[in-house]
Structure formats: structure tokens, C-alpha cells
Amino acid sequence: METTTDEMFMIQAIEEAKKAEALAEVPIGAVLVKDGAVIARGHNLRETTQRSITHAEILVIDEACEKLGTWRLEDTTLYVTLEPCPMCAGAIILSRVQRVVYGAKDPKAGCAGTLMNLLDDSRFNHQTEVESGVLEEECGALLTDFFKNLRQKKKERKQQLKLEP
């Protein structure tokens, strides 16, 4: 099977998510692409920084604005492994990202089609094209495995505490 451009860039976002996982962060990664090249990449750092705004998308948008010297990220595509939350969707709209491609849906906070679609709301002065489900299984498995392992570690710690005198 031939790999599409969207899949190629999503693979890079998945690599970013794996960096987050290595830091015991929720494995979410993102890359921002302009003219066929990655101009910014990042991953979740909430636990590391203890700052609620350090989601992968926010970090990538901030890096891209700094590199390009503008807050207007027109003609860019953001690839992210998990559907953007309300905060990230807001940042995407306000920075005028043209297109968002995400992997796994977020049933608890997804604002690019699951709970609502802030990115395509005509009441805002900018709308963003959304493509969902690119490498959805791979992106979803990262999250499922991470949380399964986290629950297992908590269970083992509880058992260990019971065994200690």
C-alpha cells in the first residue's frame, strides 16, 4: 500500500508522541507543515512543565510563529495524533492554520468533530479544514497502551504497599 502525504507527516507526529511517552507524558505529538516541509514539531509536556497549556499543538504553533516571524500560519497543515481540545482548537483558529489532520478521536474533549467542531464554525472569522482518522488505529493504540500500562503500574504499587510491613 502506498503511503499518502498525510500518512507520511502523521508518522512524524507519532514519532513525537513516542517522545512524550518516553517522558511519562500522555503520548500526543504534532508537526506543522508549510510548502511540504515540517516547520515545527512537538509533543505533550504538561507533566514535565506542570503547565496546562503545554499541549503538543500549542507548542508547535508557538514554535512556528517564532520561526516564521508571524502569528498568521496561513497555508499550513497541522498533523496531530489526537483530536484537538477546545484550547488547541482555539489556538488553531486564532493562528489561521489552514488545515488540521488528526489520527484518533477524543470522546472527552474533541473539538474538531467529536463533541463539536470549533474549527469549522462560521461564527469565527477563520475556518480550518479538518481531516480525521489518518492512521487512527496507530494513534489510538499509543494512547490505549499508555493508559493501560499506567493503570497496571498503579495496581502493582497498591499490591506492593499491601505487602510491605
Side-chain angles (χ1 to χ4, degrees):
M1 180 178 104
E2 187 179 323
T3 303
T4 67
T5 301
D6 284 347
E7 289 170 339
M8 181 183 78
F9 288 120
M10 187 61 75
I11 288 167
Q12 292 187 47
I14 289 169
E15 290 307 312
E16 286 298 317
K18 289 177 181 176
K19 291 178 187 177
E21 185 174 30
L23 298 170
E25 294 278 354
V26 176
I28 300 168
V31 297
L32 191 77
V33 174
K34 183 174 176 71
D35 300 325
V38 174
I39 58 169
R41 60 183 67 241
H43 50 273
N44 255 19
L45 288 174
R46 266 194 330 182
E47 296 301 323
T48 302
T49 64
Q50 287 300 298
R51 292 172 53 228
S52 58
I53 64 166
T54 53
H55 286 200
E57 301 96 318
I58 299 291
L59 296 170
V60 166
I61 287 169
D62 193 46
E63 180 185 333
C65 289
E66 192 173 319
K67 276 186 180 173
L68 297 175
T70 181
W71 60 269
R72 291 177 183 89
L73 299 178
E74 295 157 335
D75 302 319
T76 62
T77 300
L78 177 67
Y79 294 87
V80 62
T81 56
L82 182 66
E83 181 180 3
C85 72
M87 174 180 69
C88 293
I92 289 163
I93 292 165
L94 294 174
S95 60
R96 298 189 179 157
V97 170
Q98 180 182 337
R99 185 169 175 252
V100 169
V101 178
Y102 72 85
K105 291 183 182 337
D106 185 349
K108 294 181 180 176
C111 284
T114 299
L115 297 179
M116 64 186 69
N117 190 348
L118 290 176
L119 299 177
D120 193 31
D121 192 318
S122 62
R123 294 173 292 179
F124 293 117
N125 68 341
H126 176 78
Q127 288 77 45
T128 300
E129 180 186 333
V130 176
E131 178 79 30
S132 64
V134 174
L135 299 182
E136 184 173 10
E137 284 183 30
E138 293 88 333
C139 293
L142 275 171
L143 292 157
T144 302
D145 293 347
F146 175 81
F147 287 111
K148 185 169 34 171
N149 290 337
L150 197 61
R151 285 189 298 276
Q152 183 61 36
K153 285 177 187 170
K154 282 183 182 178
K155 187 177 175 183
E156 288 169 6
R157 264 188 251 122
K158 248 184 173 175
Q159 291 295 334
Q160 188 64 34
L161 289 173
K162 285 181 182 178
L163 296 175
E164 291 178 4

